[in-house]
Amino acid sequence: MTYFPEEVVEHIFDYLVSHRDRNSVSLVCKAWYRVERSSRRSLFVGNCYSVRPERVPARFPCVRSLSVKGKPHFADFNLVPPDWGGFAMPWIAAAARGLPDLEELRFKRMVVSDESLELLARSFPNLRSLVLVSCEGFSTDGLAAIATHCRLLRELDLQENEVEDRGPQWLSCFSDSCTSIESLNFACLKGEVNAGALERLVARCPNLRSLRLNRAISVESLSKILARSPHLVDLGTGSFTADHRSESYYMLIIALQKCKSLRSLSGFWDASPRCLPAVYPICANLTSLNLSYAPAIQGADLIKLIRHCWKLQRLWVLDCIGDKGLAVVASTCRELQELRVFPSDVFGAGTACVTEEGLVAVSAGCPKLHSLLYFCHQMTNAALVTVAKNCPKFIRFRLCILEPRKPDPVTNQPLDEGFGAIVKSCKDLRRLSVSGLLTDRVFLYIGMYAERLEMLSIAFAGDSDKGMVYVLNGCKNLRKLEIRDSPFGDAALLADVGKYEAMRSLWMSSCDVTLGGCKALAAKMPRLNVEIIDERDEGDEMEENLTDLHKVEKMYVYRTVGGPRNDAPHFVWTV
Amino acid sequence: MRGLSEFTGGVASSGSMTADVEEELEERQLLVVVVEEEEEELELRLGLGGKKVTALKSAPLGMGCRILTAKDFPSPAAKSRSSPVSSPNSSVSSSSASAVSENKRAIGSSHPPSQAVVGWPPIRSFRMNSLSNLSKDNISNISKESNGEKKARSLVGSSLFVKVNMDGDPIGRKVDLSAHQSYESLALSLELMFLKPTITPGSSFHTAKASKLLDGSSGFALTYEDREGDWMLVGDVPWEMFLDTVKRLRIMRTFEASGLTPRFHSSGKSVGLIASKPS
């Protein structure tokens, strides 16, 4: 290929969409490395500590789109202490110094300060897109900075962030000349928003296609906004609560009817069942529906709504939909690809809302189902075997039986065979979360059959080190392994240390791994960061008793070319 | 194989608990620290050190904040050690899964065990907080609030912001109480806001993690002004009740806070006068 001019090679590389392919071509020869490097427009860093931020502009100076992920996944469930790290600032600073073409930035599970948003806004006035997912550390002041300086902004997407409310004025900071907004999602903001400013913004942005409002937006404001943006494709309603006999509700119905392009609905924060009929007319076109934040809407009303949604591809609901409701989903939503059923009463008395029956019904009625997140109170092997047969196309299968270590209630057996059936049947399975009573056997199956598996989440499962070893030996494509409260120890950890360099990360908490084991791993593999998180009090008991036999409470191992962290808090210790 | 035999019966089997406390626990489904049976010196706990229990018990009532945390309750495994349940613990603070503890409960027990384990079920904290706020608002009567209280305490959407001032710090802050499910969480958050924790380089285990505000070691005490205008030590009443009654918070120097004593408990376990306004 060296006799092709570089422009041609570059042109060919433009057709390479996936990061993995581009990574591969850069390894072929120096010429290709050079071409690929300068033509790379989009960069994804799956672990912010795997490489130093300064390295990015040096390696890929022409990047326009950067995506960085910070904390380990279990941070979502409070298993990672606050102040652990994952700071966005060094990345923004490095970009400001060396990535002049940057237009799109995405952070997930990172700590983003107002200061860093200010730096971002001032350094990149031409910023087109900012996406923050599950981040924290900033307030509406940071958003104001973005709104003020980034006049060409197309997308501001805030998904499930913890944002401190410092007032509604941030929205008014979008200048009157800003007409480029295509996507605006501030559903996670807790505070008031200036409804008038929002309406004016919506009115002057003709390309607005996605708008997700927060809970503070009333039905009245919603109607006015919809009247100004009838071409919306994706809508997050605000509170959606109104007296169904009121003028506001009537206006809402009128406005919604005009939104012929709406394909996706979410929000419904305070929705009462009586307001739902307003959306019936648009249900027939919906491909995505998220009612998982509407606990007031119970089974019967959900069913009525879903009967209208026969084109649905993605459905997120609470488990109050019940097995009966899922049966309606199965018979109505033949195109369904993704289903998420969340628990509505996490700490409740265990009134069975959805069981294995609902899942079986959906699997029977929706053959295209490929992504599942299902919280339930019980599951049987028989059901899982049936589901595996009905839906061999699963890519993501995450099952969470609420009670840890719960066996099959019918046979009192572990759920090894059920999950075994899933991995055997679903050859394209990339992500799996297991739960319920499980022995080492399920991991034998996973190791044997889950060839494409990339991410595995284990909790309260297994009998011995063998379980973990089966997985490490078998799953060739494993990238992320996260384990909690399972009896895997040093023997498993050290069984195949080279494996961890082929993976992004390993998390183990409340397992049987000892300090000695971690030290051994770190000694053998210098390009891994073996981090221990220990949050205990100061006290004499700690220092004295720190032998190598000491069991480590939380361990996070990841490959890195950046060396040990230089921003680790006192409770994070790199072995 | 870790079988069912490993699981202990949970709080209900603890003999040193009084009946009404047990009831409260069942109602509120409190988190309990159950320490796995291990060599004592290798014991790991995610919460505040159990050995400190006796020290706390002897702390003068007026000093610091006796925030009840799960560690105050004896675990079945730790029954042989000191049982700390006594007067300060009779009022129970309910916490959600975010409290730091680990629990193994009997399978098939009447209490769904999922709520007793940190980070389980695996639901994003954003969703947990949203759902708990949504159901609170649907149930609670927000109109109870009088207009006069609006300044210090504002309810916006699902948030519950109250003003926080610290003695010696001219800058007051606001904290969203609805973002917290427990006193621990609130105190830690306030510490981050007001007290910069010291970081000693090189030593990973000298943490400032335990709520210094709560055990009085920081020289400050966390207090709040309630509906009646009285200043109380934070931590005496159940969390939900606290949310209903708190108007604003003040981080007071401990020598000033010594004038405050815990509220008289309905169970008759602790004595004290309703605190008077500090001078």
Side-chain angles (χ1 to χ4, degrees):
Chain A
M1 280 281 270
T2 45
Y3 32 83
F4 274 115
E6 291 201 348
E7 305 86 62
V8 177
V9 175
E10 183 179 323
H11 186 70
I12 297 172
F13 287 175
D14 278 349
Y15 289 94
L16 296 174
V17 173
S18 89
H19 295 288
R20 239 169 270 183
D21 288 341
R22 291 204 70 118
N23 293 347
S24 303
V25 300
S26 66
L27 293 173
V28 168
C29 64
K30 285 195 181 149
W32 280 30
Y33 175 93
R34 246 190 349 260
V35 171
E36 197 283 317
R37 171 177 175 261
S38 55
S39 63
R40 176 96 82 154
R41 296 279 175 264
S42 161
L43 187 65
F44 169 70
V45 179
N47 174 5
C48 65
Y49 290 116
S50 62
V51 62
R52 300 262 157 161
E54 312 81 71
R55 190 74 190 109
V56 167
R59 176 81 173 77
F60 299 109
C62 305
V63 157
R64 292 205 190 131
S65 165
L66 177 63
S67 171
V68 186
K69 293 167 91 168
K71 300 184 198 176
H73 174 235
F74 275 175
D76 282 352
F77 318 129
N78 295 327
L79 285 179
V80 174
D83 301 336
W84 172 85
F87 302 107
M89 182 56 120
W91 292 89
I92 294 177
R97 278 191 293 270
L99 293 179
D101 297 333
L102 191 69
E103 292 176 349
E104 298 173 2
L105 192 54
R106 182 179 196 269
F107 287 128
K108 183 168 181 179
R109 264 185 232 111
M110 293 185 73
V111 177
V112 183
S113 63
D114 282 344
E115 210 191 322
S116 60
L117 287 176
E118 179 98 21
L119 177 63
L120 177 67
R122 288 185 191 279
S123 311
F124 298 99
N126 294 336
L127 192 71
R128 299 274 196 265
S129 162
L130 178 62
V131 180
L132 300 175
V133 182
S134 295
C135 295
E136 54 172 353
F138 62 103
S139 76
T140 48
D141 286 351
L143 299 178
I146 298 286
T148 306
H149 298 287
C150 304
R151 308 231 161 169
L152 299 176
L153 198 66
R154 284 196 216 128
E155 177 179 32
L156 179 61
D157 185 0
L158 308 170
Q159 297 177 31
E160 299 195 340
N161 302 292
E162 291 294 333
V163 186
E164 193 194 329
D165 177 48
R166 297 238 182 108
Q169 55 275 13
W170 67 274
L171 197 66
S172 314
C173 293
F174 282 106
S175 88
D176 291 337
S177 59
C178 173
T179 57
S180 49
I181 306 276
E182 293 170 17
S183 166
L184 177 61
N185 172 8
F186 60 91
C188 63
L189 294 190
K190 295 181 229 165
E192 293 287 337
V193 160
N194 187 329
L198 178 60
E199 285 164 43
R200 287 191 295 277
L201 177 65
V202 167
R204 63 178 184 269
C205 293
N207 296 327
L208 188 68
R209 293 292 172 268
S210 169
L211 180 63
R212 297 195 180 189
L213 310 169
N214 74 345
R215 209 172 159 207
I217 301 288
S218 66
V219 157
E220 208 181 323
S221 299
L222 176 61
S223 311
K224 290 192 200 150
I225 289 165
L226 287 178
R228 310 266 203 176
S229 56
H231 301 297
L232 271 186
V233 171
D234 166 39
L235 173 66
T237 72
S239 64
F240 214 76
T241 186
D243 187 332
H244 64 288
R245 294 158 299 197
S246 69
E247 172 88 14
S248 322
Y249 187 63
Y250 179 67
M251 300 301 295
L252 175 67
I253 295 179
I254 307 250
L256 272 173
Q257 274 175 350
K258 298 214 179 98
C259 296
K260 305 270 184 228
S261 309
L262 266 185
R263 297 286 175 269
S264 165
L265 273 187
S266 59
F268 298 100
W269 299 102
D270 296 303
S272 71
R274 298 252 180 131
C275 294
L276 279 189
V279 305
Y280 288 174
I282 46 164
C283 282
N285 290 327
L286 283 185
T287 56
S288 169
L289 181 59
N290 182 354
L291 291 162
S292 63
Y293 287 102
I297 304 179
Q298 296 290 305
D301 298 297
L302 280 171
I303 288 173
K304 270 192 244 168
L305 179 64
I306 285 168
R307 285 203 198 278
H308 292 83
C309 306
W310 55 278
K311 280 198 197 152
L312 219 53
Q313 294 171 15
R314 183 195 307 151
L315 176 63
W316 292 21
V317 280
L318 292 171
D319 63 359
C320 39
I321 192 174
D323 287 336
K324 229 167 56 167
L326 287 177
V328 173
V329 170
S331 59
T332 313
C333 311
R334 298 296 189 165
E335 303 295 312
L336 198 67
Q337 297 174 19
E338 177 183 336
L339 174 67
R340 296 198 188 189
V341 180
F342 294 97
S344 52
D345 190 11
V346 174
F347 309 131
T351 49
C353 289
V354 294
T355 67
E356 73 275 11
E357 283 178 28
L359 183 58
V360 170
V362 173
S363 73
C366 311
K368 296 189 185 172
L369 195 63
H370 60 59
S371 289
L372 179 76
L373 173 60
Y374 197 76
F375 287 85
C376 58
H377 288 277
Q378 65 180 50
M379 184 55 57
T380 65
N381 281 312
L384 285 173
V385 168
T386 309
V387 169
K389 225 185 316 174
N390 292 339
C391 292
K393 297 212 183 104
F394 273 117
I395 299 174
R396 289 168 215 104
F397 190 88
R398 296 152 72 191
L399 180 67
C400 179
I401 301 164
L402 288 167
E403 186 182 324
R405 298 199 183 91
K406 184 165 182 173
D408 179 331
V410 172
T411 63
N412 225 35
Q413 292 297 300
L415 290 172
D416 301 335
E417 300 305 314
F419 280 105
I422 294 283
V423 292
K424 199 166 174 198
S425 161
C426 305
K427 310 235 181 285
D428 291 325
L429 195 67
R430 292 206 300 255
R431 183 168 180 185
L432 177 66
S433 300
V434 295
S435 58
L437 184 64
L438 295 165
T439 71
D440 285 343
R441 195 161 186 81
V442 72
F443 301 113
L444 174 65
Y445 291 144
I446 292 173
M448 267 169 64
Y449 296 113
E451 284 178 5
R452 297 252 162 84
L453 195 66
E454 296 178 5
M455 181 170 177
L456 178 61
S457 307
I458 301 170
F460 305 102
D463 307 320
S464 74
D465 288 331
K466 277 198 279 186
M468 185 170 160
V469 175
Y470 289 144
V471 170
L472 291 174
N473 284 345
C475 300
K476 301 269 169 278
N477 287 302
L478 195 65
R479 290 192 295 118
K480 288 182 280 183
L481 180 58
E482 49 185 22
I483 307 172
R484 63 165 294 179
D485 293 276
S486 300
F488 307 135
D490 295 341
L493 180 70
L494 298 170
D496 183 2
V497 294
K499 176 91 176 167
Y500 306 126
E501 267 195 14
M503 288 167 54
R504 183 186 300 171
S505 65
L506 166 70
W507 168 280
M508 291 180 76
S509 59
S510 305
C511 297
D512 293 342
V513 171
T514 70
L515 182 56
C518 294
K519 284 184 182 172
L521 176 60
K524 285 193 194 172
M525 303 293 296
R527 283 195 304 191
L528 298 179
N529 276 356
V530 179
E531 291 179 3
I532 292 169
I533 297 172
D534 194 309
E535 305 163 74
R536 294 181 305 164
D537 274 359
E538 10 185 340
D540 35 17
E541 58 172 317
M542 284 184 358
E543 290 289 357
E544 285 165 20
N545 298 325
L546 271 181
T547 67
D548 281 1
L549 295 174
H550 166 112
K551 275 195 197 167
V552 160
E553 191 52 45
K554 293 174 186 172
M555 179 194 74
Y556 184 48
V557 177
Y558 56 91
R559 66 181 176 190
T560 181
V561 292
R565 287 174 57 179
N566 59 4
D567 64 353
H570 45 252
F571 53 82
V572 173
W573 180 32
T574 303
V575 178
Chain B
M1 167 169 164
R2 282 195 179 179
L4 304 183
S5 54
E6 290 241 353
F7 296 105
T8 54
V11 174
S13 62
S14 163
S16 49
M17 303 282 267
T18 59
D20 54 341
V21 178
E22 265 184 65
E23 259 173 40
E24 268 199 79
L25 285 175
E26 278 184 83
E27 273 170 22
R28 295 182 181 277
Q29 292 160 2
L30 184 74
L31 294 153
V32 175
V33 172
V34 174
V35 176
E36 221 185 315
E37 300 273 23
E38 282 185 352
E39 303 302 312
E40 271 203 4
E41 59 266 24
L42 293 180
E43 217 144 44
L44 283 177
R45 255 158 272 128
L46 292 180
L48 304 172
K51 275 195 186 169
K52 304 245 163 119
V53 163
T54 44
L56 262 174
K57 184 181 158 192
S58 56
L61 283 179
M63 293 293 286
C65 299
R66 281 292 296 118
I67 303 280
L68 298 166
T69 59
K71 71 160 184 67
D72 289 327
F73 296 94
S75 58
K79 254 189 277 191
S80 51
R81 287 189 267 120
S82 60
S83 55
V85 181
S86 58
S87 44
N89 301 331
S90 55
S91 150
V92 164
S93 67
S94 75
S95 332
S96 69
S98 61
V100 181
S101 72
E102 194 176 62
N103 186 10
K104 292 183 169 62
R105 282 174 169 262
I107 286 183
S109 73
S110 53
H111 308 283
S114 61
Q115 103 285 358
V117 182
V118 183
W120 190 267
I123 300 174
R124 274 194 190 166
S125 29
F126 178 86
R127 181 174 288 279
M128 292 275 242
N129 293 342
S130 298
L131 277 180
S132 75
N133 288 336
L134 284 171
S135 50
K136 248 194 276 169
D137 286 348
N138 285 338
I139 295 162
S140 74
N141 194 350
I142 301 171
S143 59
K144 257 194 271 180
E145 254 178 275
S146 64
N147 284 334
E149 291 173 53
K150 280 265 164 72
K151 262 200 196 155
R153 171 190 166 116
S154 57
L155 191 71
V156 178
S158 59
S159 325
L160 180 58
F161 283 94
V162 295
K163 284 188 181 169
V164 190
N165 286 85
M166 174 156 133
D167 287 359
D169 190 343
I171 301 171
R173 310 288 294 274
K174 268 195 169 181
V175 65
D176 180 2
L177 292 181
S178 66
H180 299 278
Q181 286 99 2
S182 69
Y183 288 117
E184 281 281 303
S185 156
L186 171 64
L188 286 170
S189 170
L190 289 176
E191 276 169 42
L192 286 172
M193 251 191 238
F194 288 99
L195 308 171
K196 299 294 173 218
T198 51
I199 297 174
T200 51
S203 102
S204 337
F205 293 95
H206 296 295
T207 70
K209 187 71 176 131
S211 325
K212 300 210 291 249
L213 273 177
L214 304 187
D215 60 23
S217 64
S218 60
F220 287 91
L222 185 56
T223 66
Y224 71 101
E225 185 183 2
D226 69 3
R227 264 191 218 285
E228 281 116 51
D230 297 319
W231 285 90
M232 317 291 300
L233 277 177
V234 165
D236 288 333
V237 299
W239 176 253
E240 304 287 354
M241 206 187 289
F242 170 69
L243 289 184
D244 273 343
T245 192
V246 61
K247 269 170 42 180
R248 54 188 161 140
L249 298 169
R250 180 175 157 198
I251 303 174
M252 238 181 245
R253 297 209 173 85
T254 41
F255 61 84
E256 283 190 38
S258 57
L260 307 178
T261 51
R263 191 197 285 273
F264 183 85
H265 290 293
S266 53
S267 60
K269 285 280 155 104
S270 127
V271 290
L273 305 167
I274 305 283
S276 53
K277 287 200 177 123
S279 49

mmCIF file of all heavy atoms in Angstrom, chain A residues 7-19 21-22 25 39:
data_model
loop_
_atom_site.group_PDB
_atom_site.id
_atom_site.type_symbol
_atom_site.label_atom_id
_atom_site.label_comp_id
_atom_site.label_asym_id
_atom_site.label_seq_id
_atom_site.Cartn_x
_atom_site.Cartn_y
_atom_site.Cartn_z
ATOM 1 N N GLU A 7 -3.014 10.752 0.464
ATOM 2 C CA GLU A 7 -4.393 11.274 0.423
ATOM 3 C C GLU A 7 -5.370 10.150 0.108
ATOM 4 O O GLU A 7 -6.505 10.143 0.580
ATOM 5 C CB GLU A 7 -4.579 12.362 -0.636
ATOM 6 C CG GLU A 7 -3.624 13.527 -0.506
ATOM 7 C CD GLU A 7 -2.324 13.255 -1.218
ATOM 8 O OE1 GLU A 7 -2.331 13.074 -2.454
ATOM 9 O OE2 GLU A 7 -1.303 13.192 -0.515
ATOM 10 N N VAL A 8 -4.916 9.236 -0.715
ATOM 11 C CA VAL A 8 -5.804 8.131 -1.074
ATOM 12 C C VAL A 8 -6.017 7.225 0.140
ATOM 13 O O VAL A 8 -7.132 6.789 0.429
ATOM 14 C CB VAL A 8 -5.222 7.332 -2.259
ATOM 15 C CG1 VAL A 8 -6.103 6.134 -2.574
ATOM 16 C CG2 VAL A 8 -5.080 8.233 -3.455
ATOM 17 N N VAL A 9 -4.920 6.954 0.801
ATOM 18 C CA VAL A 9 -5.013 6.111 1.993
ATOM 19 C C VAL A 9 -5.941 6.761 3.014
ATOM 20 O O VAL A 9 -6.812 6.121 3.606
ATOM 21 C CB VAL A 9 -3.618 5.901 2.613
ATOM 22 C CG1 VAL A 9 -3.740 5.117 3.913
ATOM 23 C CG2 VAL A 9 -2.721 5.164 1.647
ATOM 24 N N GLU A 10 -5.764 8.057 3.131
ATOM 25 C CA GLU A 10 -6.598 8.770 4.101
ATOM 26 C C GLU A 10 -8.061 8.670 3.713
ATOM 27 O O GLU A 10 -8.944 8.493 4.552
ATOM 28 C CB GLU A 10 -6.160 10.239 4.148
ATOM 29 C CG GLU A 10 -6.931 11.049 5.177
ATOM 30 C CD GLU A 10 -6.469 12.496 5.222
ATOM 31 O OE1 GLU A 10 -5.240 12.715 5.062
ATOM 32 O OE2 GLU A 10 -7.313 13.377 5.406
ATOM 33 N N HIS A 11 -8.309 8.792 2.442
ATOM 34 C CA HIS A 11 -9.681 8.710 1.951
ATOM 35 C C HIS A 11 -10.280 7.338 2.252
ATOM 36 O O HIS A 11 -11.449 7.209 2.611
ATOM 37 C CB HIS A 11 -9.704 8.983 0.448
ATOM 38 C CG HIS A 11 -11.077 9.052 -0.114
ATOM 39 N ND1 HIS A 11 -11.947 10.086 0.166
ATOM 40 C CD2 HIS A 11 -11.749 8.204 -0.925
ATOM 41 C CE1 HIS A 11 -13.090 9.881 -0.464
ATOM 42 N NE2 HIS A 11 -13.008 8.745 -1.130
ATOM 43 N N ILE A 12 -9.454 6.329 2.069
ATOM 44 C CA ILE A 12 -9.935 4.973 2.385
ATOM 45 C C ILE A 12 -10.236 4.852 3.865
ATOM 46 O O ILE A 12 -11.244 4.279 4.263
ATOM 47 C CB ILE A 12 -8.887 3.923 1.954
ATOM 48 C CG1 ILE A 12 -8.697 3.974 0.438
ATOM 49 C CG2 ILE A 12 -9.308 2.533 2.400
ATOM 50 C CD1 ILE A 12 -7.566 3.117 -0.069
ATOM 51 N N PHE A 13 -9.364 5.419 4.670
ATOM 52 C CA PHE A 13 -9.572 5.331 6.122
ATOM 53 C C PHE A 13 -10.858 6.030 6.553
ATOM 54 O O PHE A 13 -11.447 5.690 7.574
ATOM 55 C CB PHE A 13 -8.383 5.943 6.873
ATOM 56 C CG PHE A 13 -7.133 5.099 6.846
ATOM 57 C CD1 PHE A 13 -5.964 5.587 7.388
ATOM 58 C CD2 PHE A 13 -7.128 3.839 6.272
ATOM 59 C CE1 PHE A 13 -4.794 4.833 7.380
ATOM 60 C CE2 PHE A 13 -5.970 3.077 6.248
ATOM 61 C CZ PHE A 13 -4.796 3.576 6.797
ATOM 62 N N ASP A 14 -11.284 7.006 5.796
ATOM 63 C CA ASP A 14 -12.519 7.705 6.132
ATOM 64 C C ASP A 14 -13.705 6.759 6.208
ATOM 65 O O ASP A 14 -14.695 7.048 6.878
ATOM 66 C CB ASP A 14 -12.834 8.790 5.090
ATOM 67 C CG ASP A 14 -12.058 10.069 5.351
ATOM 68 O OD1 ASP A 14 -11.454 10.184 6.436
ATOM 69 O OD2 ASP A 14 -12.051 10.949 4.476
ATOM 70 N N TYR A 15 -13.600 5.664 5.504
ATOM 71 C CA TYR A 15 -14.700 4.704 5.522
ATOM 72 C C TYR A 15 -14.674 3.823 6.765
ATOM 73 O O TYR A 15 -15.622 3.096 7.026
ATOM 74 C CB TYR A 15 -14.663 3.812 4.264
ATOM 75 C CG TYR A 15 -15.036 4.571 3.031
ATOM 76 C CD1 TYR A 15 -14.061 5.149 2.221
ATOM 77 C CD2 TYR A 15 -16.384 4.743 2.672
ATOM 78 C CE1 TYR A 15 -14.407 5.869 1.090
ATOM 79 C CE2 TYR A 15 -16.730 5.453 1.553
ATOM 80 C CZ TYR A 15 -15.743 6.021 0.755
ATOM 81 O OH TYR A 15 -16.087 6.738 -0.352
ATOM 82 N N LEU A 16 -13.582 3.893 7.472
ATOM 83 C CA LEU A 16 -13.493 3.096 8.692
ATOM 84 C C LEU A 16 -14.213 3.832 9.794
ATOM 85 O O LEU A 16 -13.781 4.892 10.235
ATOM 86 C CB LEU A 16 -12.027 2.886 9.077
ATOM 87 C CG LEU A 16 -11.206 2.080 8.093
ATOM 88 C CD1 LEU A 16 -9.744 2.075 8.514
ATOM 89 C CD2 LEU A 16 -11.734 0.652 8.012
ATOM 90 N N VAL A 17 -15.270 3.223 10.238
ATOM 91 C CA VAL A 17 -16.097 3.913 11.221
ATOM 92 C C VAL A 17 -15.710 3.551 12.649
ATOM 93 O O VAL A 17 -15.654 4.403 13.523
ATOM 94 C CB VAL A 17 -17.589 3.574 10.976
ATOM 95 C CG1 VAL A 17 -18.446 4.136 12.076
ATOM 96 C CG2 VAL A 17 -18.016 4.133 9.641
ATOM 97 N N SER A 18 -15.425 2.292 12.867
ATOM 98 C CA SER A 18 -15.221 1.885 14.261
ATOM 99 C C SER A 18 -13.821 2.243 14.744
ATOM 100 O O SER A 18 -12.850 2.234 13.990
ATOM 101 C CB SER A 18 -15.463 0.386 14.422
ATOM 102 O OG SER A 18 -14.271 -0.325 14.199
ATOM 103 N N HIS A 19 -13.770 2.533 16.022
ATOM 104 C CA HIS A 19 -12.489 2.877 16.642
ATOM 105 C C HIS A 19 -11.512 1.720 16.538
ATOM 106 O O HIS A 19 -10.321 1.902 16.331
ATOM 107 C CB HIS A 19 -12.693 3.221 18.126
ATOM 108 C CG HIS A 19 -13.511 4.449 18.343
ATOM 109 N ND1 HIS A 19 -13.034 5.713 18.083
ATOM 110 C CD2 HIS A 19 -14.776 4.611 18.791
ATOM 111 C CE1 HIS A 19 -13.974 6.594 18.374
ATOM 112 N NE2 HIS A 19 -15.041 5.955 18.797
ATOM 113 N N ASP A 21 -11.249 -0.560 14.272
ATOM 114 C CA ASP A 21 -10.643 -0.687 12.949
ATOM 115 C C ASP A 21 -9.547 0.353 12.764
ATOM 116 O O ASP A 21 -8.479 0.060 12.236
ATOM 117 C CB ASP A 21 -11.707 -0.512 11.862
ATOM 118 C CG ASP A 21 -12.641 -1.714 11.794
ATOM 119 O OD1 ASP A 21 -12.253 -2.782 12.313
ATOM 120 O OD2 ASP A 21 -13.736 -1.582 11.238
ATOM 121 N N ARG A 22 -9.826 1.553 13.191
ATOM 122 C CA ARG A 22 -8.820 2.610 13.041
ATOM 123 C C ARG A 22 -7.597 2.295 13.887
ATOM 124 O O ARG A 22 -6.470 2.549 13.492
ATOM 125 C CB ARG A 22 -9.412 3.965 13.415
ATOM 126 C CG ARG A 22 -10.463 4.441 12.421
ATOM 127 C CD ARG A 22 -10.618 5.946 12.432
ATOM 128 N NE ARG A 22 -9.454 6.605 11.874
ATOM 129 C CZ ARG A 22 -9.479 7.373 10.784
ATOM 130 N NH1 ARG A 22 -10.594 7.540 10.119
ATOM 131 N NH2 ARG A 22 -8.376 7.971 10.371
ATOM 132 N N VAL A 25 -5.546 -0.293 11.926
ATOM 133 C CA VAL A 25 -4.769 0.159 10.752
ATOM 134 C C VAL A 25 -3.550 0.971 11.180
ATOM 135 O O VAL A 25 -2.536 0.987 10.491
ATOM 136 C CB VAL A 25 -5.620 0.965 9.737
ATOM 137 C CG1 VAL A 25 -6.759 0.145 9.221
ATOM 138 C CG2 VAL A 25 -6.083 2.283 10.285
ATOM 139 N N SER A 39 -5.595 11.941 10.480
ATOM 140 C CA SER A 39 -6.952 12.004 9.954
ATOM 141 C C SER A 39 -8.001 11.558 10.971
ATOM 142 O O SER A 39 -9.193 11.570 10.670
ATOM 143 C CB SER A 39 -7.083 11.139 8.697
ATOM 144 O OG SER A 39 -6.853 9.781 9.026
#
